[in-house]
Amino acid sequence: MTYDFFYKLFGSQVIAAIIQSLLPLFVFILPFALFAVWLERKVSAHMQDRLGPMRVGWHGWLQTVADILKLIQKEDIIATANDKPLFNLAPVLVFVGTYAAFAAIPFTSAFIGSNLDLGVFFIVAVSGFVVAGILMAGWASNNKYSLLGAMRSAAQIISYEIPTVMVIITIVMITGTLNLNTLSQLQTGHFWNWMIFGGPVFGVSKFLMIPFMIISFGIIYISTLAEVNRTPFDIPEAESELVSGYHTEYSGMKFAMFFLAEYANMFAVSAIVTALFFGGYQSPIGYIGHLLGLPWLVPIEQLFWFTAKGLFFVFVQMWLRWTLPRLRVDQLMTACWKYLIPIAFADLIIIGLITLI
Amino acid sequence: MSIEVEEKISKLTEVQKRGNGLRTEHMVLNMGPQHPSTHGVLRLELELEGEIIKKVIPHIGYLHRCFEKHAEAMTYPQVVPYTDRMDYLGAMYNEFGYAVAVEKLLGIQVPERVDYIRVIMGELQRIASHLVALGTYGLDIGAFTPFLYCFRDREKILNLFEITCGARLLYNYIWVGGLSHDIHPDFVRLTKEFVTYFKPNIKELNDLLTNNKIFIDRTANVGVLPKETAINYGISGPNLRASGFKWDIRKDDTYSVYNKFDFDIPVGQGLMGTVGDCWDRYYLRVQEMEQSLRIIEQAIDQIPEGDVSSAIPKRIKPPVGQVYSRVENPRGELGYFIISNGGTSPFRVKVKGPSFVNLGIMDELSRGHMVADIIAILGSIDIVLGEVDR
Amino acid sequence: MKTAQDIFNILKEKFGNSVLELVSTQPVEPFITVNPLVVNKICLFLRDNEELLFDNLMNLSGVDDANGKTVKAEDGTSKVEGATLSVYYHIESTSLKHKVVLKVSAPVEKPDVESVALIWRHADWHEREAYDLIGLNFLNHPDLRRILMPYDWEFGHPLRKDYKDPEFYLGMKVPY
């Protein structure tokens, strides 16, 4: 819809496409990342009986802006022993992988970067870029800590994609679509139509499905935590062991790009969880726009609900980070291969049987 | 296969043979001197096969400040501030140990009030030191929040020290034969308040970290230290007791007025895994804090009246002789070996620092574990590099 | 529980001339002087004998005795003779609760002492420290390297009483 609007406005497909693709970056990802970093600091501070940033702006809300300004001014250090092309490419690739995922995420019914029929599949596929980027960063840094971090990260992200995909298959099996926009539209109405509550179909199967859907949600949430390298799975950058893993050697803006990608990724996976299980952009209680007869208000409300749900899951990620210790590499792999994958598989089969009823 | 090739293969080392003749070698990873988890400027040279540790070589001395050489140039009282700077997290106890050693050499008795205040200060210092140990241990394992909770409580103890002697880290408070100041009039009330405030916080720490499933997974059955090995390596303090050996110098070779108080010596029981693993070492410190609180509670009500500085000798000149005196500092057995040649400054002061000794076990404990475990092991040994290097 | 006198008698009986004397005139603790080249055998005996069971080495300290006498040679040059370096072993038994102090002295020109690092692993780092700072040479030590000073320190052993700071170390001026 927005694409059509820009096309009419400028009369050129190219300009419309560029604006369309940059829109999430400037309207959403950058402000979100700045906000999320500030939120992380505040959340951690209040959990730890302190105040966090208080000086720059009201309750330090400009702190992250100041930090970005500082990072831009910093020297871009490249050691002589680094593999320069790979070293320079890696942060870009990591960011691209994250950014591309946003293309298929439906923010509202009015804005979706690209309404792909293979939306979920596309997101899973482009996340692969992140692994390549991290491996490049680890290798090109020519630093043993970075290399260890990158190796761990690659193993971790690839392993945890299996349970993620299995849960996605479960959803796809029920709904019969890979399109995230269609998926969100399916869960319209009120919150009992969300996939976590068995989807929009009524009947016995809906109630049978609820416990298994909750299990599926648990699995995908844990796996996505691991995919974005958050505690308790932040092993690749475990600051007490590997200094900071694959981005140890980076400074200035390149470091900021890793940082940005991490926070953007946090929201991306939360958005996927929201779209799959929590009705996407759908309101749980109906729209004020419909009540007042103002149809233009509905997409704005939808954006609000989508952001609110996404932010809630981001908040839970932060909450976990500041509460839990970190697992060890072998324990991480055990959790994935011995517990999550078998459970996800059994869950898939059971839900398949239920849908047959 | 030709004879030449066979000869070559027979020359390969054991590691290389495992790779079926491919040339493989161990990776050497330098951990430190600048690393977030080495608790100071310690360098560990790790020999790795993948992520499995084959060998650990600690390199120390980055913080060597020649305490022993300094002591030879100072008079006996002038050494006291230097002892503070060894184990800067247990400064009060370093002074305590030094004062006890010199008093033994001089053959003098300090007034009872001095002894009581020393014990209270020493136990407060033990709690403060253990709080840092537990907090940073959580940090090493990846739990950030308990660290700040521990520091919040430690701050209260440092406030008590501050009203007593004005300093928060390096006190210069316990002098040979007495104390530099008497306690503040509010000290007794504030200490009692602290004890009542702190007791529930131990439970909070247990809920947050000690009984956390991930924390137990990371620390139980890791770095198991058997009792015999521990004694042979001279390990002392909480690390020795966690191996199941009931040995506390406060009771077994008592000094000052410790024999007047009723307290238990906790030992490691292997509640979550094997006796002497990292979790035991961690939990033992939690239990020790409870016992220290008990000692403080008993001592604070019984402080006798008197003067704390009248017994300080004007000119300290011990007779020709030597003494080895040891105290139970938060990290273990802190021993001072002092040789006097009858002059006003010591002829030789040798410090047996518990951290120095405990660090020696790193290689033994870490072999066969993973890189992440070395952090858990190092944290559980609880070293202070200021004392390792002196 | 045995006193230093008892232990001295046992050792004297077992090792004869290698156990030199019991010094108990000085405060605070008496010590037994033994031969530096058999100290490892004596320590092994002390650890494993069922009446003694000295399982814990509390401390091991190297000391520069600074007891040399300046002797004037005929050509007018003077040199120091008879100086010794000593090692003190503070040993205790955790089960029988007795303690003893051993002392060995070696001439400063050839400060050879048998290592006890394999009897009590604790002694490993203490002996390295004594080697590093005093300059005692422990025979049969598994890994005798400098420990506190830099590995490439070639200006002697700082805890010797006659130690002088070098002018420069790796191009850096040392005295400040």
Side-chain angles (χ1 to χ4, degrees), chain B residues 59-60 69 72 232 247 252-253 320-322 324 326 337 347-348 350 352 390, chain C residues 27-28 31 61-62 92 97 99 119 121-122 126 129 147 151 158 160-161:
Chain B
H59 295 276
I60 62 174
K69 191 78 177 172
E72 287 173 14
N232 196 256
W247 181 260
D252 288 294
D253 189 7
V320 177
Q322 44 157 337
Y324 177 75
R326 53 186 182 161
F337 176 56
F347 181 72
R348 170 89 166 95
K350 154 91 188 183
K352 183 231 173 163
R390 298 190 292 285
Chain C
V28 168
F31 56 85
S61 350
E92 74 168 338
K97 310 237 164 163
K99 300 179 194 168
I119 299 167
R121 296 291 294 132
H122 179 192
H126 280 295
E129 193 191 319
I147 185 164
Y151 293 126
R160 291 261 185 101
K161 295 282 179 187

mmCIF file of all heavy atoms in Angstrom, chain B residues 59-60 69 72 232 247 252-253 320-322 324 326 337 347-348 350 352 390, chain C residues 27-28 31 61-62 92 97 99 119 121-122 126 129 147 151 158 160-161:
data_model
loop_
_atom_site.group_PDB
_atom_site.id
_atom_site.type_symbol
_atom_site.label_atom_id
_atom_site.label_comp_id
_atom_site.label_asym_id
_atom_site.label_seq_id
_atom_site.Cartn_x
_atom_site.Cartn_y
_atom_site.Cartn_z
ATOM 1 N N HIS B 59 51.467 -17.281 34.451
ATOM 2 C CA HIS B 59 52.616 -16.371 34.498
ATOM 3 C C HIS B 59 52.231 -15.223 35.397
ATOM 4 O O HIS B 59 51.271 -14.517 35.122
ATOM 5 C CB HIS B 59 52.943 -15.836 33.107
ATOM 6 C CG HIS B 59 53.396 -16.896 32.161
ATOM 7 N ND1 HIS B 59 54.688 -17.329 32.109
ATOM 8 C CD2 HIS B 59 52.726 -17.621 31.254
ATOM 9 C CE1 HIS B 59 54.790 -18.279 31.197
ATOM 10 N NE2 HIS B 59 53.611 -18.473 30.652
ATOM 11 N N ILE B 60 52.982 -15.043 36.479
ATOM 12 C CA ILE B 60 52.614 -13.998 37.426
ATOM 13 C C ILE B 60 53.765 -13.015 37.536
ATOM 14 O O ILE B 60 54.783 -13.154 36.870
ATOM 15 C CB ILE B 60 52.254 -14.592 38.803
ATOM 16 C CG1 ILE B 60 53.457 -15.316 39.391
ATOM 17 C CG2 ILE B 60 51.083 -15.510 38.682
ATOM 18 C CD1 ILE B 60 53.227 -15.789 40.791
ATOM 19 N N LYS B 69 61.303 -6.656 49.959
ATOM 20 C CA LYS B 69 62.482 -5.784 49.944
ATOM 21 C C LYS B 69 62.185 -4.474 50.666
ATOM 22 O O LYS B 69 63.011 -3.955 51.412
ATOM 23 C CB LYS B 69 62.887 -5.524 48.489
ATOM 24 C CG LYS B 69 64.236 -4.850 48.327
ATOM 25 C CD LYS B 69 65.373 -5.818 48.495
ATOM 26 C CE LYS B 69 66.728 -5.134 48.260
ATOM 27 N NZ LYS B 69 67.829 -6.025 48.611
ATOM 28 N N GLU B 72 62.382 -4.676 54.433
ATOM 29 C CA GLU B 72 63.722 -4.694 55.027
ATOM 30 C C GLU B 72 64.257 -3.285 55.242
ATOM 31 O O GLU B 72 65.175 -3.081 56.024
ATOM 32 C CB GLU B 72 64.675 -5.491 54.121
ATOM 33 C CG GLU B 72 64.402 -6.974 54.192
ATOM 34 C CD GLU B 72 65.215 -7.758 53.182
ATOM 35 O OE1 GLU B 72 66.163 -7.191 52.620
ATOM 36 O OE2 GLU B 72 64.872 -8.929 52.950
ATOM 37 N N ASN B 232 48.510 -31.473 49.940
ATOM 38 C CA ASN B 232 49.851 -31.557 49.368
ATOM 39 C C ASN B 232 50.230 -30.282 48.625
ATOM 40 O O ASN B 232 51.388 -29.881 48.614
ATOM 41 C CB ASN B 232 49.933 -32.760 48.432
ATOM 42 C CG ASN B 232 51.365 -33.135 48.128
ATOM 43 O OD1 ASN B 232 51.860 -32.862 47.061
ATOM 44 N ND2 ASN B 232 52.044 -33.719 49.096
ATOM 45 N N TRP B 247 39.596 -27.681 58.649
ATOM 46 C CA TRP B 247 40.858 -27.091 59.055
ATOM 47 C C TRP B 247 40.718 -25.589 59.001
ATOM 48 O O TRP B 247 40.577 -24.999 57.929
ATOM 49 C CB TRP B 247 41.974 -27.565 58.128
ATOM 50 C CG TRP B 247 43.307 -27.016 58.498
ATOM 51 C CD1 TRP B 247 43.959 -25.961 57.932
ATOM 52 C CD2 TRP B 247 44.174 -27.485 59.524
ATOM 53 N NE1 TRP B 247 45.151 -25.739 58.542
ATOM 54 C CE2 TRP B 247 45.320 -26.654 59.520
ATOM 55 C CE3 TRP B 247 44.095 -28.517 60.462
ATOM 56 C CZ2 TRP B 247 46.370 -26.845 60.416
ATOM 57 C CZ3 TRP B 247 45.149 -28.686 61.344
ATOM 58 C CH2 TRP B 247 46.261 -27.865 61.310
ATOM 59 N N ASP B 252 42.126 -24.334 64.873
ATOM 60 C CA ASP B 252 43.142 -25.366 65.008
ATOM 61 C C ASP B 252 44.482 -24.830 65.492
ATOM 62 O O ASP B 252 45.309 -25.595 65.966
ATOM 63 C CB ASP B 252 43.328 -26.081 63.663
ATOM 64 C CG ASP B 252 42.150 -26.970 63.353
ATOM 65 O OD1 ASP B 252 41.968 -27.939 64.095
ATOM 66 O OD2 ASP B 252 41.417 -26.680 62.409
ATOM 67 N N ASP B 253 44.728 -23.534 65.301
ATOM 68 C CA ASP B 253 45.981 -22.958 65.788
ATOM 69 C C ASP B 253 45.609 -21.548 66.225
ATOM 70 O O ASP B 253 45.997 -20.574 65.611
ATOM 71 C CB ASP B 253 47.023 -22.959 64.666
ATOM 72 C CG ASP B 253 48.389 -22.566 65.191
ATOM 73 O OD1 ASP B 253 48.529 -22.441 66.419
ATOM 74 O OD2 ASP B 253 49.304 -22.392 64.375
ATOM 75 N N VAL B 320 67.010 -10.822 68.860
ATOM 76 C CA VAL B 320 67.442 -11.657 67.735
ATOM 77 C C VAL B 320 66.622 -12.936 67.756
ATOM 78 O O VAL B 320 66.492 -13.587 68.793
ATOM 79 C CB VAL B 320 68.943 -11.990 67.858
ATOM 80 C CG1 VAL B 320 69.375 -12.908 66.731
ATOM 81 C CG2 VAL B 320 69.760 -10.724 67.869
ATOM 82 N N GLY B 321 66.045 -13.276 66.632
ATOM 83 C CA GLY B 321 65.226 -14.488 66.591
ATOM 84 C C GLY B 321 64.351 -14.474 65.367
ATOM 85 O O GLY B 321 64.526 -13.652 64.461
ATOM 86 N N GLN B 322 63.428 -15.402 65.332
ATOM 87 C CA GLN B 322 62.586 -15.513 64.156
ATOM 88 C C GLN B 322 61.248 -16.075 64.570
ATOM 89 O O GLN B 322 61.122 -16.759 65.580
ATOM 90 C CB GLN B 322 63.245 -16.443 63.152
ATOM 91 C CG GLN B 322 63.782 -17.666 63.839
ATOM 92 C CD GLN B 322 63.940 -18.817 62.908
ATOM 93 O OE1 GLN B 322 63.308 -18.879 61.895
ATOM 94 N NE2 GLN B 322 64.791 -19.737 63.272
ATOM 95 N N TYR B 324 57.392 -17.617 62.782
ATOM 96 C CA TYR B 324 56.434 -17.822 61.709
ATOM 97 C C TYR B 324 55.067 -17.815 62.341
ATOM 98 O O TYR B 324 54.768 -18.646 63.188
ATOM 99 C CB TYR B 324 56.671 -19.142 60.969
ATOM 100 C CG TYR B 324 55.621 -19.379 59.897
ATOM 101 C CD1 TYR B 324 55.664 -18.664 58.715
ATOM 102 C CD2 TYR B 324 54.589 -20.279 60.077
ATOM 103 C CE1 TYR B 324 54.704 -18.837 57.738
ATOM 104 C CE2 TYR B 324 53.628 -20.470 59.107
ATOM 105 C CZ TYR B 324 53.693 -19.737 57.938
ATOM 106 O OH TYR B 324 52.733 -19.918 56.985
ATOM 107 N N ARG B 326 50.788 -17.329 61.693
ATOM 108 C CA ARG B 326 49.808 -17.394 60.608
ATOM 109 C C ARG B 326 48.418 -17.078 61.122
ATOM 110 O O ARG B 326 48.098 -17.355 62.275
ATOM 111 C CB ARG B 326 49.826 -18.763 59.956
ATOM 112 C CG ARG B 326 49.676 -19.863 60.962
ATOM 113 C CD ARG B 326 49.838 -21.200 60.321
ATOM 114 N NE ARG B 326 49.642 -22.234 61.318
ATOM 115 C CZ ARG B 326 49.358 -23.496 61.014
ATOM 116 N NH1 ARG B 326 49.251 -23.855 59.765
ATOM 117 N NH2 ARG B 326 49.189 -24.377 61.955
ATOM 118 N N PHE B 337 56.726 -14.773 58.001
ATOM 119 C CA PHE B 337 57.964 -15.297 58.572
ATOM 120 C C PHE B 337 58.891 -14.117 58.743
ATOM 121 O O PHE B 337 59.315 -13.504 57.766
ATOM 122 C CB PHE B 337 58.562 -16.346 57.638
ATOM 123 C CG PHE B 337 59.888 -16.869 58.102
ATOM 124 C CD1 PHE B 337 60.029 -17.424 59.356
ATOM 125 C CD2 PHE B 337 61.002 -16.818 57.280
ATOM 126 C CE1 PHE B 337 61.242 -17.913 59.792
ATOM 127 C CE2 PHE B 337 62.222 -17.306 57.704
ATOM 128 C CZ PHE B 337 62.340 -17.857 58.968
ATOM 129 N N PHE B 347 64.992 -8.087 59.511
ATOM 130 C CA PHE B 347 66.081 -8.562 58.654
ATOM 131 C C PHE B 347 65.504 -9.200 57.401
ATOM 132 O O PHE B 347 66.037 -9.065 56.308
ATOM 133 C CB PHE B 347 66.922 -9.570 59.427
ATOM 134 C CG PHE B 347 68.078 -10.115 58.642
ATOM 135 C CD1 PHE B 347 69.186 -9.320 58.373
ATOM 136 C CD2 PHE B 347 68.073 -11.415 58.172
ATOM 137 C CE1 PHE B 347 70.244 -9.815 57.649
ATOM 138 C CE2 PHE B 347 69.129 -11.914 57.449
ATOM 139 C CZ PHE B 347 70.225 -11.111 57.187
ATOM 140 N N ARG B 348 64.400 -9.921 57.564
ATOM 141 C CA ARG B 348 63.769 -10.582 56.429
ATOM 142 C C ARG B 348 62.303 -10.790 56.776
ATOM 143 O O ARG B 348 61.978 -11.235 57.878
ATOM 144 C CB ARG B 348 64.430 -11.952 56.184
ATOM 145 C CG ARG B 348 63.719 -12.852 55.191
ATOM 146 C CD ARG B 348 64.228 -12.595 53.782
ATOM 147 N NE ARG B 348 63.808 -13.652 52.855
ATOM 148 C CZ ARG B 348 62.733 -13.573 52.084
ATOM 149 N NH1 ARG B 348 61.946 -12.526 52.137
ATOM 150 N NH2 ARG B 348 62.443 -14.551 51.247
ATOM 151 N N LYS B 350 59.111 -12.728 55.079
ATOM 152 C CA LYS B 350 58.605 -13.540 53.979
ATOM 153 C C LYS B 350 57.118 -13.738 54.197
ATOM 154 O O LYS B 350 56.693 -14.077 55.300
ATOM 155 C CB LYS B 350 59.337 -14.877 53.936
ATOM 156 C CG LYS B 350 58.585 -16.012 53.310
ATOM 157 C CD LYS B 350 58.831 -16.138 51.820
ATOM 158 C CE LYS B 350 57.868 -17.181 51.269
ATOM 159 N NZ LYS B 350 58.047 -17.429 49.872
ATOM 160 N N LYS B 352 53.742 -15.713 53.281
ATOM 161 C CA LYS B 352 53.102 -16.832 52.590
ATOM 162 C C LYS B 352 51.675 -16.394 52.294
ATOM 163 O O LYS B 352 50.825 -16.398 53.169
ATOM 164 C CB LYS B 352 53.121 -18.080 53.463
ATOM 165 C CG LYS B 352 52.530 -19.270 52.769
ATOM 166 C CD LYS B 352 51.501 -19.951 53.590
ATOM 167 C CE LYS B 352 50.827 -21.030 52.764
ATOM 168 N NZ LYS B 352 50.119 -21.964 53.585
ATOM 169 N N ARG B 390 52.687 -9.683 45.353
ATOM 170 C CA ARG B 390 53.211 -8.909 46.480
ATOM 171 C C ARG B 390 54.044 -7.721 46.032
ATOM 172 O O ARG B 390 55.236 -7.751 45.955
ATOM 173 C CB ARG B 390 54.003 -9.803 47.418
ATOM 174 C CG ARG B 390 53.133 -10.883 48.014
ATOM 175 C CD ARG B 390 53.851 -11.586 49.110
ATOM 176 N NE ARG B 390 54.956 -12.353 48.658
ATOM 177 C CZ ARG B 390 54.887 -13.499 48.028
ATOM 178 N NH1 ARG B 390 53.729 -14.011 47.752
ATOM 179 N NH2 ARG B 390 55.967 -14.142 47.644
ATOM 180 N N PRO C 27 64.488 -16.773 70.607
ATOM 181 C CA PRO C 27 63.044 -16.697 70.492
ATOM 182 C C PRO C 27 62.663 -16.685 69.007
ATOM 183 O O PRO C 27 63.440 -16.207 68.196
ATOM 184 C CB PRO C 27 62.711 -15.364 71.160
ATOM 185 C CG PRO C 27 63.936 -14.533 71.002
ATOM 186 C CD PRO C 27 65.085 -15.489 70.993
ATOM 187 N N VAL C 28 61.508 -17.093 68.525
ATOM 188 C CA VAL C 28 60.441 -17.666 69.315
ATOM 189 C C VAL C 28 60.432 -19.174 69.100
ATOM 190 O O VAL C 28 59.957 -19.920 69.927
ATOM 191 C CB VAL C 28 59.107 -17.042 68.849
ATOM 192 C CG1 VAL C 28 57.898 -17.780 69.399
ATOM 193 C CG2 VAL C 28 59.062 -15.573 69.199
ATOM 194 N N PHE C 31 64.817 -24.376 65.790
ATOM 195 C CA PHE C 31 64.878 -24.995 64.472
ATOM 196 C C PHE C 31 66.028 -25.988 64.408
ATOM 197 O O PHE C 31 66.974 -25.941 65.185
ATOM 198 C CB PHE C 31 64.980 -23.952 63.360
ATOM 199 C CG PHE C 31 66.138 -22.995 63.492
ATOM 200 C CD1 PHE C 31 67.402 -23.306 63.024
ATOM 201 C CD2 PHE C 31 65.925 -21.752 64.077
ATOM 202 C CE1 PHE C 31 68.443 -22.415 63.133
ATOM 203 C CE2 PHE C 31 66.972 -20.858 64.197
ATOM 204 C CZ PHE C 31 68.233 -21.180 63.735
ATOM 205 N N SER C 61 60.964 -20.438 52.995
ATOM 206 C CA SER C 61 61.508 -19.113 52.740
ATOM 207 C C SER C 61 63.003 -19.186 52.499
ATOM 208 O O SER C 61 63.723 -19.839 53.245
ATOM 209 C CB SER C 61 61.258 -18.170 53.918
ATOM 210 O OG SER C 61 60.381 -18.733 54.839
ATOM 211 N N GLY C 62 63.418 -18.493 51.475
ATOM 212 C CA GLY C 62 64.844 -18.339 51.245
ATOM 213 C C GLY C 62 65.314 -17.073 51.941
ATOM 214 O O GLY C 62 64.612 -16.080 51.978
ATOM 215 N N GLU C 92 54.231 -28.793 59.313
ATOM 216 C CA GLU C 92 53.326 -29.196 60.388
ATOM 217 C C GLU C 92 52.605 -30.470 59.967
ATOM 218 O O GLU C 92 52.547 -30.816 58.795
ATOM 219 C CB GLU C 92 52.303 -28.102 60.704
ATOM 220 C CG GLU C 92 51.242 -27.996 59.647
ATOM 221 C CD GLU C 92 50.068 -27.150 60.058
ATOM 222 O OE1 GLU C 92 49.854 -26.977 61.265
ATOM 223 O OE2 GLU C 92 49.374 -26.676 59.159
ATOM 224 N N LYS C 97 49.125 -32.572 64.746
ATOM 225 C CA LYS C 97 49.193 -31.198 65.251
ATOM 226 C C LYS C 97 50.545 -30.857 65.876
ATOM 227 O O LYS C 97 50.595 -30.277 66.954
ATOM 228 C CB LYS C 97 48.078 -30.936 66.275
ATOM 229 C CG LYS C 97 46.708 -31.340 65.788
ATOM 230 C CD LYS C 97 45.753 -30.203 65.827
ATOM 231 C CE LYS C 97 44.555 -30.565 64.979
ATOM 232 N NZ LYS C 97 43.390 -29.839 65.151
ATOM 233 N N LYS C 99 54.555 -29.199 64.962
ATOM 234 C CA LYS C 99 55.240 -28.401 63.951
ATOM 235 C C LYS C 99 56.734 -28.537 64.162
ATOM 236 O O LYS C 99 57.196 -28.832 65.246
ATOM 237 C CB LYS C 99 54.903 -26.918 64.108
ATOM 238 C CG LYS C 99 53.457 -26.577 63.987
ATOM 239 C CD LYS C 99 53.323 -25.082 64.192
ATOM 240 C CE LYS C 99 51.896 -24.684 64.433
ATOM 241 N NZ LYS C 99 51.782 -23.318 64.910
ATOM 242 N N ILE C 119 57.898 -33.633 46.948
ATOM 243 C CA ILE C 119 57.389 -34.195 48.200
ATOM 244 C C ILE C 119 56.136 -33.433 48.616
ATOM 245 O O ILE C 119 55.095 -34.012 48.868
ATOM 246 C CB ILE C 119 58.473 -34.130 49.286
ATOM 247 C CG1 ILE C 119 59.678 -34.963 48.841
ATOM 248 C CG2 ILE C 119 57.928 -34.624 50.605
ATOM 249 C CD1 ILE C 119 60.902 -34.738 49.669
ATOM 250 N N ARG C 121 53.959 -30.577 46.799
ATOM 251 C CA ARG C 121 53.854 -29.787 45.571
ATOM 252 C C ARG C 121 53.789 -28.297 45.901
ATOM 253 O O ARG C 121 54.115 -27.443 45.078
ATOM 254 C CB ARG C 121 52.606 -30.199 44.781
ATOM 255 C CG ARG C 121 52.640 -31.612 44.284
ATOM 256 C CD ARG C 121 53.675 -31.815 43.180
ATOM 257 N NE ARG C 121 53.348 -31.100 41.963
ATOM 258 C CZ ARG C 121 54.206 -30.348 41.305
ATOM 259 N NH1 ARG C 121 55.427 -30.199 41.763
ATOM 260 N NH2 ARG C 121 53.862 -29.727 40.202
ATOM 261 N N HIS C 122 53.373 -28.008 47.104
ATOM 262 C CA HIS C 122 53.315 -26.625 47.561
ATOM 263 C C HIS C 122 54.662 -25.928 47.402
ATOM 264 O O HIS C 122 54.735 -24.744 47.103
ATOM 265 C CB HIS C 122 52.900 -26.656 49.042
ATOM 266 C CG HIS C 122 52.816 -25.320 49.678
ATOM 267 N ND1 HIS C 122 52.704 -25.150 51.012
ATOM 268 C CD2 HIS C 122 52.820 -24.082 49.150
ATOM 269 C CE1 HIS C 122 52.649 -23.858 51.294
ATOM 270 N NE2 HIS C 122 52.713 -23.200 50.178
ATOM 271 N N HIS C 126 57.202 -21.838 45.818
ATOM 272 C CA HIS C 126 58.041 -21.176 46.821
ATOM 273 C C HIS C 126 59.516 -21.332 46.462
ATOM 274 O O HIS C 126 60.305 -20.411 46.663
ATOM 275 C CB HIS C 126 57.765 -21.752 48.206
ATOM 276 C CG HIS C 126 56.533 -21.203 48.837
ATOM 277 N ND1 HIS C 126 56.407 -19.888 49.189
ATOM 278 C CD2 HIS C 126 55.358 -21.768 49.174
ATOM 279 C CE1 HIS C 126 55.220 -19.672 49.718
ATOM 280 N NE2 HIS C 126 54.556 -20.803 49.716
ATOM 281 N N GLU C 129 60.310 -19.036 43.773
ATOM 282 C CA GLU C 129 60.439 -17.672 44.295
ATOM 283 C C GLU C 129 61.800 -17.483 44.953
ATOM 284 O O GLU C 129 62.463 -16.458 44.760
ATOM 285 C CB GLU C 129 59.309 -17.401 45.288
ATOM 286 C CG GLU C 129 59.175 -15.937 45.622
ATOM 287 C CD GLU C 129 58.254 -15.683 46.794
ATOM 288 O OE1 GLU C 129 57.214 -16.350 46.870
ATOM 289 O OE2 GLU C 129 58.583 -14.827 47.619
ATOM 290 N N ILE C 147 59.971 -16.428 38.671
ATOM 291 C CA ILE C 147 58.507 -16.411 38.820
ATOM 292 C C ILE C 147 57.961 -15.004 38.961
ATOM 293 O O ILE C 147 57.004 -14.644 38.289
ATOM 294 C CB ILE C 147 58.082 -17.330 39.989
ATOM 295 C CG1 ILE C 147 56.564 -17.415 40.093
ATOM 296 C CG2 ILE C 147 58.661 -16.883 41.309
ATOM 297 C CD1 ILE C 147 56.087 -18.551 40.932
ATOM 298 N N TYR C 151 61.307 -12.859 32.952
ATOM 299 C CA TYR C 151 62.108 -14.037 32.601
ATOM 300 C C TYR C 151 63.494 -13.652 32.095
ATOM 301 O O TYR C 151 64.433 -14.427 32.188
ATOM 302 C CB TYR C 151 61.379 -14.861 31.541
ATOM 303 C CG TYR C 151 60.108 -15.481 32.062
ATOM 304 C CD1 TYR C 151 58.907 -15.281 31.414
ATOM 305 C CD2 TYR C 151 60.118 -16.250 33.221
ATOM 306 C CE1 TYR C 151 57.738 -15.828 31.902
ATOM 307 C CE2 TYR C 151 58.952 -16.799 33.718
ATOM 308 C CZ TYR C 151 57.765 -16.583 33.058
ATOM 309 O OH TYR C 151 56.616 -17.116 33.556
ATOM 310 N N PRO C 158 67.103 -9.920 43.540
ATOM 311 C CA PRO C 158 66.869 -8.669 44.274
ATOM 312 C C PRO C 158 66.847 -8.775 45.789
ATOM 313 O O PRO C 158 67.134 -7.784 46.459
ATOM 314 C CB PRO C 158 65.494 -8.222 43.773
ATOM 315 C CG PRO C 158 65.159 -9.067 42.637
ATOM 316 C CD PRO C 158 66.023 -10.258 42.637
ATOM 317 N N ARG C 160 68.857 -10.370 47.668
ATOM 318 C CA ARG C 160 70.201 -10.422 48.264
ATOM 319 C C ARG C 160 70.510 -9.079 48.899
ATOM 320 O O ARG C 160 70.129 -8.034 48.381
ATOM 321 C CB ARG C 160 71.236 -10.687 47.147
ATOM 322 C CG ARG C 160 71.150 -12.068 46.539
ATOM 323 C CD ARG C 160 72.190 -12.964 47.143
ATOM 324 N NE ARG C 160 72.194 -14.268 46.494
ATOM 325 C CZ ARG C 160 73.076 -14.621 45.573
ATOM 326 N NH1 ARG C 160 73.995 -13.757 45.161
ATOM 327 N NH2 ARG C 160 73.038 -15.813 45.054
ATOM 328 N N LYS C 161 71.219 -9.122 50.003
ATOM 329 C CA LYS C 161 71.495 -7.867 50.701
ATOM 330 C C LYS C 161 72.449 -6.969 49.910
ATOM 331 O O LYS C 161 72.449 -5.757 50.084
ATOM 332 C CB LYS C 161 72.094 -8.161 52.074
ATOM 333 C CG LYS C 161 71.139 -8.874 53.004
ATOM 334 C CD LYS C 161 70.114 -7.931 53.603
ATOM 335 C CE LYS C 161 69.168 -8.713 54.495
ATOM 336 N NZ LYS C 161 68.053 -7.902 54.975
#
